[in-house]
Amino acid sequence: MKEVKEFDESKVGVKGLADSGITSIPRFFVHPPETISDLKKPSQACTTKSIPVIDLAHLKYSPLERQKLVAEIKEATATWGFFQVINHGVPVSVLDETINAIRAFHDQPQEVRAKHYKRQDSQGVMYATNNDLYRAKAATWHDSLAVWLSPEKVRAKEEEIPEICRKEVLAWESHATKVAEALFELLSEGLGVEAGRFKELGFLGGKALVGHCYPYCPRPDLTLGITSHTDSGLTVLLQNQVAGLQVKHGDEWVNVKPIPGALTINIGDSIQIISNDNYISVEHRVLANPCKEPRISIVMFFKVGNRGDSEYFGPLEELVSAEKPRLYRKFTVQDLQKNFYSKGLDSKSIIEQFKLPREA
């Protein structure tokens, strides 16, 4: 813990460690044998399978085409929990500008980045290595710039966002929100409820942008980029062409191959619960980066954010019947936050915590 504290207070981040030319990694980044042995398996990632790719161009066409699109997304979220979208309406120039701006932030001299380094989680702007550095069993090889965007009480002031990426962060919020809004409508229709249902539940009310940098790691066999975990709501991911993201499908880890111009979408635990398991939230992780080129990913998280702390959520009543009983107890936004901030990133703990016991 003393070494962790010293590293954190130095504000160099893993980017600083990588830039210094180190050939080994500090011991608090080394993961336990069970994780490392999983990484060393020759068949650790399935190369013959890939997550579905969905063409959103069909949104512009007839109701029949929309129906097909709803069915495609329903199938992808029910079996994979992950998919990539193409023809989503965001110009390639905007995607490139956003990636370049986040990379430019992480490429600044260490003393410039250090001005933003702090652990003020869940509001404003935070730049740090691992938001769960003091809660996790082992650290992972990435730095992150997090910008909270809604609800209003936690939103970063414009001047707080680093100038080098300010314009692009605010533009990306607008573009990613439009994509998320369209997807929430399709997900609602896939459940057989009105298109605006997820929006009514407040899923566009909690937004945060996180710009990750996964720099070169000299020992990718001993650590991870991000440990295996699930998300909370809906995630819209923009990434450069450096691979590393893996999705768990059954018992296999499947590589997510970056597609130029595509966005990667995944379903989080609260959506699995609200859908009463019609949609699934799956574990995913990022391998430590063995390339000299950094992996850059910009994640937009959309989750319930503008409802009262004591307001309850659970499976939609329309999805509960004698044939398909309620699988989860009700929960509050506060329950979700308490679960997330009480420990390091982990796998499916929210799902397990809220699951009702099966009747004998």
Side-chain angles (χ1 to χ4, degrees):
M1 187 49 73
K2 181 173 175 283
E3 289 171 22
V4 171
K5 200 165 187 300
E6 283 173 1
F7 164 75
D8 197 34
E9 288 175 355
S10 75
K11 303 183 179 184
V12 298
V14 291
K15 180 71 164 56
L17 294 180
D19 289 348
S20 73
I22 59 167
T23 55
S24 61
I25 60 174
R27 61 180 179 167
F28 56 87
F29 282 98
V30 176
H31 281 249
E34 60 271 21
T35 307
I36 294 167
S37 63
D38 181 49
L39 294 178
K40 283 181 179 173
K41 285 178 189 170
S43 59
Q44 67 172 16
C46 176
T47 51
T48 55
K49 293 179 183 171
S50 58
I51 66 171
V53 178
I54 295 175
D55 189 345
L56 290 187
H58 297 306
L59 263 178
K60 302 169 192 167
Y61 303 130
S62 66
L64 185 61
E65 290 290 348
R66 186 182 177 93
Q67 224 173 335
K68 285 182 190 169
L69 188 54
V70 167
E72 272 187 77
I73 287 181
K74 183 178 181 180
E75 173 69 14
T77 46
T79 55
W80 281 88
F82 258 82
F83 54 95
Q84 295 196 66
V85 292
I86 56 173
N87 295 318
H88 41 66
V90 185
V92 172
S93 59
V94 171
L95 305 181
D96 290 343
E97 285 162 12
T98 309
I99 290 168
N100 292 340
I102 294 300
R103 176 163 183 177
F105 170 80
H106 288 286
D107 277 349
Q108 293 176 112
Q110 187 266 320
E111 61 273 14
V112 178
R113 295 196 309 272
K115 291 174 187 171
H116 300 281
Y117 197 100
K118 60 181 174 182
R119 294 205 171 272
Q120 178 189 315
D121 216 343
S122 74
Q123 63 174 1
V125 174
M126 182 181 96
Y127 164 61
T129 295
N130 298 201
N131 74 349
D132 62 346
L133 185 65
Y134 291 98
R135 306 190 300 270
K137 290 174 185 171
T140 50
W141 203 257
H142 74 279
D143 296 330
S144 307
L145 174 69
V147 182
W148 278 268
L149 297 163
S150 72
E152 202 56 44
K153 63 183 177 184
V154 302
R155 185 178 176 89
K157 296 185 179 74
E158 199 167 311
E159 62 272 18
E160 285 181 280
I161 304 169
E163 191 178 357
I164 197 165
C165 58
R166 185 181 300 155
K167 178 169 71 77
E168 292 81 4
V169 162
L170 295 173
W172 185 242
E173 176 194 5
S174 171
H175 287 291
T177 300
K178 284 176 189 166
V179 172
E181 197 160 0
L183 290 170
F184 275 130
E185 288 186 0
L186 295 166
L187 288 166
S188 295
E189 289 172 39
L191 293 174
V193 299
E194 61 276 14
R197 195 58 178 277
F198 276 107
K199 191 174 179 180
E200 283 168 23
L201 287 168
F203 272 91
L204 289 167
K207 291 189 284 190
L209 177 150
V210 183
H212 294 304
C213 175
Y214 301 86
Y216 166 71
C217 178
R219 294 301 306 270
D221 56 322
L222 295 180
T223 191
L224 280 154
I226 284 187
T227 193
S228 175
H229 65 285
T230 54
D231 294 344
S232 173
L234 181 78
T235 302
V236 176
L237 166 71
L238 167 63
Q239 59 183 331
N240 67 357
Q241 296 303 296
V242 178
L245 176 62
Q246 294 185 333
V247 171
K248 200 160 196 185
H249 186 61
D251 293 328
E252 294 177 302
W253 284 104
V254 177
N255 289 318
V256 176
K257 187 181 176 187
I259 298 173
L263 296 172
T264 303
I265 311 297
N266 69 282
I267 298 303
D269 294 340
S270 58
I271 293 179
Q272 175 170 335
I273 292 169
I274 283 166
S275 77
N276 209 34
D277 277 5
N278 281 285
Y279 297 149
I280 60 167
S281 163
V282 300
E283 292 173 49
H284 50 288
R285 67 185 184 187
V286 177
L287 300 181
N289 182 13
C291 310
K292 294 296 182 184
E293 175 84 5
R295 179 176 185 266
I296 301 293
S297 73
I298 298 97
V299 191
M300 274 288 288
F301 295 109
F302 294 88
K303 55 187 181 179
V304 176
N306 59 355
R307 307 297 282 260
D309 284 347
S310 58
E311 196 165 340
Y312 281 91
F313 294 86
L316 295 176
E317 293 301 330
E318 300 95 315
L319 306 179
V320 176
S321 64
E323 297 76 40
K324 186 75 190 274
R326 180 186 302 279
L327 299 175
Y328 301 94
R329 68 177 176 85
K330 293 187 175 182
F331 61 92
T332 65
V333 175
Q334 218 167 6
D335 290 334
L336 287 175
Q337 288 174 336
K338 202 182 295 178
N339 184 286
F340 180 78
Y341 290 113
S342 64
K343 57 190 171 13
L345 286 176
D346 64 0
S347 312
K348 307 291 280 181
S349 65
I350 291 174
I351 293 289
E352 298 311 319
Q353 187 182 329
F354 298 147
K355 195 179 274 278
L356 290 170
R358 287 186 179 182
E359 291 181 12

